[in-house]
Amino acid sequence: GPAREPCWFEGAGRRMPTHESEDERLRKDAEARERMKAHMKAVEEAEARGETGDRGAWKWAIRKRIWDHMESNDIAAEPRPVHHRIPNFVGAELTAKQIEKLPEFQRAKWVKVNPDRPQAAVRIATLRAGKMLLVPQPRLRTGFFSVLDPNKIDPSKYNFAVTQRGVVEYGEPIDLDADIKVDLIVIGSVAVNPANGARIGKGEGFAELEYGMLRVMEAIDDDTPVVTTIHDCQLVDDIASEKMLCHDVPVDIICTPTQTIRLERILPKPQGIYWDKLSPQKLGSIKILQKLKAKLERELGEKLPTGPDE
């Protein structure tokens, strides 16, 4: 069959609950990381045998190098080990200080930030600056995005409100019909190439899906700045432009604890969701995507394509 898209790898689909307990969330997140770990091992073993069936094998090599480096040099911060995560790092809160200085952040009214630990300080800074904060629900399992309105939350609760438990308590879920305009996007990364803006996430494709859905909703466009916050050791020079896929989201600005790097626009931004790249398994595990697909098919009056099996 056709070479599969590596970034959509996730376990077999199952029905999505509308709400999950903290224990369930932690268990399911751990299961997802275990699946990715098994996948990475399978890719490495296939490579060792000289089979290069997975076009994403090169990405796993970079991820492993970064995760290993961060752990062995104690750059890694809790939750550890950082493998199969958007890795938290020592000095992550300093990246929020860089973001606060960006004119793009200062102008923004609505900011979308990923739910991972290294971006917690950015989420807090967004609320403190009086901006509306949009946070995806973890792995899009229980829904879509939650909105945190700083005016409706006691400032003493901001630190808690931006945690995954806090978002459940203080966030208001929004749907695909929400008429919103997002002014700035912050995403986590495992590695980024400052020469071309190419990034690698943890391998589950969520940044791409979230970005694609916001594009379909017309909440963002080509000019919406995409910022990533990483440790300096996550800057790499071996993510080639020609290896990036149509749904990969390039970044415009990189904030590290020590510097802000503005990138020249080289790579195109995704225009939406690429249904022909989305495996039935991935689609089956994300309710909101199924809903979006059904909605678009009703509007188009025709079926959208489906990607190859995993």
Side-chain angles (χ1 to χ4, degrees), residues 208-260:
E208 289 76 22
L209 290 175
E210 290 153 9
Y211 183 90
M213 285 192 279
L214 288 172
R215 282 297 287 248
V216 173
M217 289 169 71
E218 297 182 354
I220 58 172
D221 59 27
D222 253 1
D223 296 321
T224 310
V226 176
V227 184
T228 193
T229 64
I230 56 169
H231 188 273
D232 293 84
C233 77
Q234 294 171 267
L235 293 164
V236 303
D237 60 7
D238 54 347
I239 312 176
S241 295
E242 57 275 12
K243 282 185 164 173
M244 289 290 101
L245 304 168
C246 58
H247 52 247
D248 286 322
V249 180
V251 305
D252 301 305
I253 300 170
I254 301 168
C255 291
T256 78
T258 66
Q259 59 183 329
T260 289

Side-chain angles (χ1 to χ4, degrees), residues 73-86:
N73 292 281
D74 278 326
I75 294 162
E78 291 298 335
R80 292 177 74 173
V82 293
H83 295 76
H84 304 287
R85 299 180 189 273
I86 295 294

Side-chain angles (χ1 to χ4, degrees), residues 156-172:
S156 69
K157 296 282 194 289
Y158 285 171
N159 287 28
F160 171 68
V162 306
T163 63
Q164 296 191 344
R165 279 211 326 254
V167 170
V168 171
E169 193 172 320
Y170 289 99
E172 291 175 28

Side-chain angles (χ1 to χ4, degrees), residues 110-126:
W110 283 69
V111 181
K112 182 245 165 180
V113 187
N114 58 301
D116 305 271
R117 187 77 64 88
Q119 284 72 38
V122 178
R123 296 192 294 276
I124 295 164
T126 301

